[in-house]
């Protein structure tokens, strides 16, 4: 969580809020099935469960998958496709800050917006700060 004055920005919250903008249905594609419960809890805490289509995961151990950039991109692409075609997601969060580079690489090859959490948090922080300074 980044704190600046009154602005708190968590990368997960920023990504989910960005993905659900305009009442879009969204899913999460990531490498770590063990995070399913905390991800669902965050979705519920934000009141977004009615838009959440679920999570899809890469195959294999997360540390092995992320160690091979090409395999990571290929497997994340498959997880994104499942979010879209099987679950009906209109936007997909690439779950995990360290996966942001893969999200950027995949963005040109997917039919829906891909949300990278660190980028979403930076944009949210910029918007929050700009709004605060404008209101002052």
């Amino acid at each position: 969580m980044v704190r600046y004055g009154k602005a708190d920005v968590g990368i997960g919250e920023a990504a989910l809020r960005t993905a659900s903008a305009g009442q879009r249905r969204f899913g999460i594609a990531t490498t770590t099935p063990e995070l399913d419960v905390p991800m669902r809890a965050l979705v519920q805490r934000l009141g977004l469960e009615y838009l959440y289509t679920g999570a899809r995961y890469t195959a294999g151990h997360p540390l092995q998958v992320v160690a091979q950039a090409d395999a990571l991109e290929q497997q994340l692409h498959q997880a994104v496709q499942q979010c879209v075609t099987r679950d009906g997601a209109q936007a997909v969060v690439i779950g995990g800050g360290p996966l942001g580079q893969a999200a950027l690489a995949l963005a040109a090859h997917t039919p829906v917006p891909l949300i990278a959490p660190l980028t979403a948090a930076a944009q949210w922080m910029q918007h929050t700060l700009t709004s605060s300074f404008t209101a002052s």
Side-chain angles (χ1 to χ4, degrees):
M1 178 124 8
V2 177
R3 295 182 188 270
Y4 184 84
K6 295 181 181 176
D8 292 343
V9 179
I11 66 170
E13 180 176 353
L16 297 180
R17 291 197 183 282
T18 300
S20 65
Q23 300 296 300
R24 284 188 298 214
R25 293 176 46 78
F26 69 93
I28 300 172
T30 191
T31 59
T32 313
E34 293 80 10
L35 294 178
D36 190 67
V37 171
M39 288 187 307
R40 281 196 230 192
L42 179 57
V43 168
Q44 187 174 19
R45 183 176 65 79
L46 297 175
L48 299 173
E49 59 266 37
Y50 70 103
L51 296 171
Y52 181 53
T53 62
R56 296 291 180 159
Y57 303 96
T58 57
H61 189 277
L63 292 178
Q64 292 173 340
V65 173
V66 299
Q68 300 173 334
D70 290 341
L72 173 63
E73 284 182 27
Q74 181 182 19
Q75 288 193 36
L76 277 176
H77 185 262
Q78 291 172 352
V80 168
Q81 290 301 102
Q82 289 177 347
C83 286
V84 174
T85 60
R86 293 186 182 175
D87 304 333
Q90 298 167 308
V92 178
V93 172
I94 299 297
L99 304 180
Q101 193 64 34
L104 294 174
L106 292 173
H109 307 290
T110 57
V112 300
L114 284 187
I115 312 301
L118 290 173
T119 302
Q123 290 170 344
W124 187 9
M125 180 62 86
Q126 181 181 17
H127 173 74
T128 301
L129 292 174
T130 302
S131 298
S132 329
F133 291 130
T134 304
S136 300

